């Protein structure tokens, strides 16, 4: 593989590793939640998000200057954006806990965050394999697993929202958690969009 081509695949793998780091940090924050320390949590999460932004800017700069790319320029740009979206969504989840001044964590929020860790681990594995997507025997199964996790998140979203309706009488608390669950669901969707993008690139180039 040409050195210039390796840059793109390395960039994707590094960005995906940052999404895994962000997801793991989200779980850590929720398991050890202290509402009085939420601003420091946000600072740490933003640092991870900022590192991912740098990777995206590096990708954009390379694509602007590149004469030949290993796959279509538009596909590389789209995949870079989809990977960045995942980390943006993870950061937004934590921001919602600050915005709504959440004081205690519902157990299903931790379960949801753990599923997002699984999704980001699969994305990271897929991006590690992506450099050899034309002959990889693993990447297709990773995409399928990622889609399965997204379906699990859909089910958890429904059960969490239903439980919220039945056991939360406080209107403001109910509304706040609904917004949070919406963010969790959006992040799961963002993970699925990465898998769809990977699948599309593979289909077009094999």
């Amino acid at each position: 593989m040409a050195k210039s081509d390796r840059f793109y695949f390395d960039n994707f793998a590094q960005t995906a590793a940052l999404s895994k780091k962000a997801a793991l940090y989200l779980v850590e924050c929720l398991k050890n939640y202290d509402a009085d320390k939420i601003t420091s949590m946000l600072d740490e999460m933003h640092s991870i998000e900022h590192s991912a932004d740098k990777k995206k800017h590096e990708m954009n700069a390379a694509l602007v200057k590149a004469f030949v790319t290993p796959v279509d320029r538009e596909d590389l740009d789209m995949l870079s954006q989809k990977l960045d979206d995942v980390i943006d969504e993870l950061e937004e989840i934590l921001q919602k806990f600050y915005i709504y001044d959440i004081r205690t964590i519902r157990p299903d929020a931790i379960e949801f965050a753990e599923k997002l860790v699984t999704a980001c681990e699969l994305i990271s594995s897929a991006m590690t394999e992506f450099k050899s997507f034309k002959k990889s025997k693993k990447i297709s199964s990773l995409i399928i697993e990622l889609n399965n996790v997204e379906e699990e998140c859909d089910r958890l979203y429904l059960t969490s929202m239903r439980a919220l309706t039945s056991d939360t009488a406080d209107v403001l608390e109910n509304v706040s958690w609904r917004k949070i669950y919406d963010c969790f669901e959006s992040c799961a969707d963002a993970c699925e969009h990465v898998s769809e993008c990977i699948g599309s690139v593979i289909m077009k180039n094999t």
Side-chain angles (χ1 to χ4, degrees):
M1 182 187 296
K3 184 178 179 181
S4 58
D5 287 352
R6 184 174 294 279
F7 162 80
Y8 301 104
F9 299 111
D10 287 348
N11 181 284
F12 289 144
Q14 291 157 6
T15 304
L18 287 167
S19 72
K20 179 181 171 181
K21 182 178 180 180
L24 286 166
Y25 184 64
L26 178 61
V27 170
E28 180 185 334
C29 289
L30 298 186
K31 283 186 172 180
N32 304 286
Y33 192 72
D34 183 345
D36 295 328
K37 296 180 179 178
I38 187 67
T39 53
S40 63
M41 295 178 201
L42 288 173
D43 288 343
E44 179 63 27
M45 182 66 86
H46 185 67
S47 175
I48 300 171
E49 189 275 338
H50 184 64
S51 296
D53 276 346
K54 285 183 178 179
K55 291 298 173 188
K56 189 172 188 307
H57 294 323
E58 289 170 7
M59 176 65 71
N60 289 344
L63 289 174
V64 166
K65 293 186 290 186
F67 182 68
V68 178
T69 55
V71 298
D72 284 350
R73 189 187 312 266
E74 292 79 8
D75 289 334
L76 293 172
D77 180 60
M78 182 183 298
L79 185 50
S80 178
Q81 181 61 57
K82 297 301 183 187
L83 288 167
D84 189 61
D85 288 345
V86 172
I87 302 178
D88 288 345
E89 293 284 356
L90 287 164
E91 182 180 31
E92 187 172 351
I93 291 169
L94 194 57
Q95 288 172 343
K96 287 291 189 287
F97 287 89
Y98 171 76
I99 291 170
Y100 297 119
D101 193 23
I102 300 299
R103 310 307 294 182
T104 58
I105 302 301
R106 293 174 63 86
D108 44 18
I110 295 174
E111 185 181 354
F112 223 139
E114 289 173 336
K115 287 189 181 298
L116 293 179
V117 168
T118 301
C120 289
E121 287 174 341
L122 290 167
I123 288 172
S124 185
S125 296
M127 288 296 93
T128 300
E129 283 288 310
F130 191 58
K131 61 181 177 292
S132 55
F133 70 86
K134 290 185 179 180
K135 56 184 178 180
S136 173
K137 296 179 180 178
K138 296 180 181 178
I139 199 162
S140 294
S141 62
L142 290 168
I143 291 172
I144 292 169
E145 286 183 59
L146 189 49
N147 291 337
N148 290 339
V149 173
E150 195 276 334
E151 289 180 4
E152 291 174 9
C153 288
D154 283 344
R155 289 192 290 272
L156 181 57
Y157 174 78
L158 290 174
T159 58
S160 299
M161 292 289 259
R162 181 178 173 84
L164 186 63
T165 300
S166 63
D167 63 21
T168 307
D170 184 276
V171 175
L172 181 57
E173 183 181 358
N174 193 298
V175 171
S176 298
W177 275 102
R178 284 180 180 277
K179 296 290 187 182
I180 290 169
Y181 290 138
D182 284 344
C183 269
F184 274 112
E185 175 70 357
S186 292
C187 188
D189 288 343
C191 292
E192 184 181 37
H193 295 160
V194 171
S195 73
E196 290 170 349
C197 190
I198 297 169
S200 176
V201 172
I202 292 173
M203 187 177 298
K204 288 170 66 176
N205 290 275
T206 53

